[in-house]
Amino acid sequence: MDDIRMIVTDMDGTFLNSEHQMSPDFPIVYEELKKRNILFVPASGRQMMGITKYFGEIENEMAFIAENGGYVIYKNKELFADRLDPTYITEIITAIRNISGATAVLSGKKTAYVDSDNEDFLHYISQFYTRNERRGDLTEEIDDSIFKIAVYHPEGSELNVYPVLKEFEKYNLEIVVSGKYWLDIMNKNINKGNALEKLQEALDISPQQTMAFGDYMNDIEMLKNSRYSYAMKNAHPSVKEAASFEACTNDNFGVLKIIKDYLDLS
């Protein structure tokens, strides 16, 4: 393996276990990465605060890719922030309301916005959207930069949501299944891979010096932009096809196992 200078990992289903916990070994591993000048980069569909909350005081040393590539920061400085055209939002929200069981979340720079009054759902999304606000109607104008529209379906997004919403690709939007229950709608070319490329260019780090981990379709571009690309054992089949290597499951903290092997830590 050539010298790695950046390790980028998806969060849910990849770095975190099914209880949304990180490995207790991470602080020790992180200190070794820091000694070797290897940048650790969480990359997620979550809002920024939903990622940074896991890392405490070391947050200001790291880079983060949030909103599936719509928002990138490095050492607390913004490198990139996207904005979804508000003219599309009303039409998309109306279409989502016609999908039985589907619920929308508008993910903005200030906060996330929901119009659901289901307390169980609001509690559920709070683990991904740490800062959120309930509004009466998501089609009303919001004074915020909206990065994406996230859609949740309890019976699965790939079969129940994607077939209905893929028509909005006509507006030059990305419609991507981002998890078993989630689908994200963003501007065209907004993805983790392009966000990673922006970070690589800013820091003069090549794909050949990058290791990446993922489990779902919204990770594929990121994996393709990394020479050492790993799909989790629990990953979607299309992700395994895109990756060069496989790590054990997120519940066995496969990301940390691969990193520890690379660092030769017992």
Side-chain angles (χ1 to χ4, degrees), residues 191-203:
N191 58 61
K192 295 182 186 180
N194 284 340
L196 175 57
E197 185 175 354
K198 288 179 172 65
L199 191 56
Q200 288 167 330
E201 289 176 354
L203 302 177

Side-chain angles (χ1 to χ4, degrees), residues 89 93 104-108 111-114 129 138 142 146 148-150:
I89 293 176
I93 293 298
V105 180
L106 297 186
S107 190
T111 189
Y113 304 89
V114 295
Y129 298 94
L138 293 184
I142 295 174
I146 302 300
K148 71 176 185 184
I149 302 172

Side-chain angles (χ1 to χ4, degrees), residues 2-264:
D2 291 344
D3 288 341
I4 302 296
R5 292 186 56 204
M6 181 188 295
I7 296 176
V8 56
T9 179
D10 172 55
M11 292 287 283
D12 300 288
T14 303
F15 181 65
L16 304 177
N17 67 11
S18 296
E19 302 300 317
H20 305 289
Q21 300 164 332
M22 67 165 66
S23 167
D25 293 341
F26 178 72
I28 295 170
V29 173
Y30 179 78
E31 283 305 310
E32 188 62 31
L33 291 174
K34 189 175 172 181
K35 286 178 188 176
R36 302 194 194 191
N37 199 30
I38 299 172
L39 182 66
F40 185 78
V41 186
S44 177
R46 291 174 178 241
Q47 69 179 168
M48 190 63 74
M49 288 184 64
I51 312 172
T52 58
K53 68 177 183 177
Y54 283 93
F55 298 96
E57 294 179 358
I58 63 172
E59 172 190 339
N60 61 3
E61 304 171 352
M62 299 168 61
F64 295 90
I65 297 171
E67 308 287 359
N68 271 332
Y71 194 19
V72 184
I73 62 173
Y74 173 62
K75 293 186 175 180
N76 288 333
K77 293 183 179 179
E78 183 179 295
L79 290 185
F80 174 74
D82 190 49
R83 185 172 188 265
L84 194 63
D85 188 334
T87 60
Y88 301 139
I89 293 176
T90 296
E91 186 178 351
I92 295 170
I93 293 298
T94 301
I96 293 167
R97 287 173 177 167
N98 289 326
I99 302 172
S100 178
T103 307
V105 180
L106 297 186
S107 190
K109 193 170 187 179
K110 296 176 184 177
T111 189
Y113 304 89
V114 295
D115 60 7
S116 172
D117 57 5
N118 184 317
E119 291 298 328
D120 288 339
F121 178 73
L122 296 175
H123 176 73
Y124 170 68
I125 67 162
S126 66
Q127 60 193 314
F128 311 111
Y129 298 94
T130 305
R131 182 179 291 172
N132 59 77
E133 176 184 315
R134 190 183 179 282
R135 296 178 72 92
D137 186 352
L138 293 184
T139 64
E140 295 177 354
E141 185 176 353
I142 295 174
D143 181 23
D144 196 357
S145 293
I146 302 300
F147 295 120
K148 71 176 185 184
I149 302 172
V151 189
Y152 172 82
H153 199 290
E155 296 175 10
S157 60
E158 189 172 358
L159 295 179
N160 296 286
V161 180
Y162 179 75
V164 178
L165 299 185
K166 66 180 180 180
E167 68 164 303
F168 290 104
E169 291 172 347
K170 67 187 177 185
Y171 293 142
N172 214 28
L173 298 173
E174 296 274 3
I175 317 295
V176 60
V177 176
S178 57
K180 184 176 181 181
Y181 305 110
W182 289 95
L183 175 141
D184 291 336
I185 302 171
M186 303 158 292
N187 284 325
K188 193 74 174 175
N189 297 322
I190 296 300
N191 58 61
K192 295 182 186 180
N194 284 340
L196 175 57
E197 185 175 354
K198 288 179 172 65
L199 191 56
Q200 288 167 330
E201 289 176 354
L203 302 177
D204 193 26
I205 295 174
S206 70
Q208 288 72 29
Q209 296 169 310
T210 305
M211 179 183 287
F213 299 86
D215 76 310
Y216 237 85
M217 282 89 97
N218 60 327
D219 298 319
I220 289 175
E221 292 90 351
M222 178 177 78
L223 296 176
K224 289 181 176 179
N225 209 7
S226 309
R227 179 176 181 184
Y228 303 103
S229 57
Y230 287 82
M232 309 307 290
K233 189 175 181 63
N234 52 284
H236 190 281
S238 62
V239 180
K240 292 182 179 181
E241 186 175 337
S244 298
F245 307 100
E246 186 172 299
C248 65
T249 68
N250 65 313
D251 283 328
N252 286 313
F253 296 117
V255 172
L256 263 289
K257 287 181 183 295
I258 296 296
I259 296 174
K260 286 160 76 174
D261 284 348
Y262 172 70
L263 299 175
D264 200 23

